[in-house]
Amino acid sequence: MPVQAGEGPSDAPADAWVLGIRLDHHDDAAPLRAHGDDDEVRRRLDPRPGRNRAWIDDEVRAERRWGAWTLGALARSRVDIRVDASTLDLIGHVERDTAASPQHRAWNVDARAVGFAGRGLALGWQAGSLDAEADAGSGWLEVQGLQLTRWIEQRWSGEVVQDPADGRYAVHLQSWRRDDRQVAPFLAPPDPHGQALLLAGGLRWRFAPDWQLTASVHDLGWLRWRGIVEEQTVVSTDTEQRDADGRVMLAPLMQGQVRARRAWAAAPAGSQLRLEWRASARHHLSWTTRGGASGFGGPQFGWLTRLSPAHAVEWTALGPRWPVRRWGLTWQVFTQAMGSASGPGSTACSGWTIGLATDRLSADRRSLSGQLGWRACS
């Protein structure tokens, strides 16, 4: 099982059972141990310049492989969050109750989040063999049909200004939220479950005896939930109004709209490009760049780079300036089953894969990924 989504099928034999658990957690702006406590997250904020990203991507999967085809059952949960450093600076400024600056201060607010969880089936197909030296290329395609148990999207935008004279804040914000657990007394409750149709696929090209390049995408598709509640809110502390005599007055304003509808939305797709050097059938070294989620619109989140030798240390750098490095250890133990066919050039048939990677060994880690996989030949 791959540590990250979108890395393609494992190198299991053509006739095998594969079980696996995968997790991948990251937060640019705060330690992972603060998650689950909003107050602790605000106290521990230390954002990097520019866009800050956090994600959780977990999956449990059991699948059966017949030749080029794979059929499996899976349960997964994914959340992607993008927040500008200006927004996080405002949160820290308010949390610390910082004194008013003698200069005019303004913060642009831009934060977006999308997440879903579900369970269902995955049907995969692979063309070519990664272990066959005669194959110059290979590819795969997977279709996931999920019953959604959770779907949430939130967006915040606007501006907050602090008056240097008295420290007073002027707020002009817009928020939009879609949440299957949000209810309103005057609206019919949403369906208990939604649906998702997601695609993943990739191509591998062997351009030298020991070198190959892989391009892949994952979570292309749509999310659907009938009767899901959407809420749109506008908040302004300085709204211009006029009284009966025509005089201008500044007054706070908060207005919103709530509706239930049948919602369709594009899934937060991601992409990867991977360069790999195979020293032997059991050892390889790879460099991976990871694209961001497209469901947010606008510029992508940037890239994630991973340098990972199998059976040895894994090293990862995150962000265009590489402010976070993730390293770890992946260990594979496989044996050849008597009388089984493991495919051309392959001797690994059944056994375990264990992997763990983090950016630091202390409790203040901001990045953590892990895997536990088992496979067995029929």
Side-chain angles (χ1 to χ4, degrees), residues 132-189:
E133 296 182 358
D135 287 346
S138 62
W140 73 91
L141 179 67
E142 181 180 88
V143 180
Q144 295 181 7
L146 302 179
Q147 180 187 66
L148 294 179
T149 58
R150 190 77 173 100
W151 183 10
I152 182 170
E153 292 185 64
Q154 292 184 273
R155 303 171 191 167
W156 300 266
S157 61
E159 184 182 43
V160 176
V161 179
Q162 186 179 35
D163 191 330
D166 56 8
R168 176 176 171 271
Y169 291 94
V171 178
H172 303 276
L173 294 177
Q174 301 84 41
S175 69
W176 177 86
R177 181 180 181 182
R178 172 186 288 156
D179 191 343
D180 69 277
R181 296 183 182 176
Q182 189 173 0
V183 296
F186 50 86
L187 295 175

Side-chain angles (χ1 to χ4, degrees), residues 72 95 181 240:
E95 177 67 24
R181 296 183 182 176
E240 183 177 300

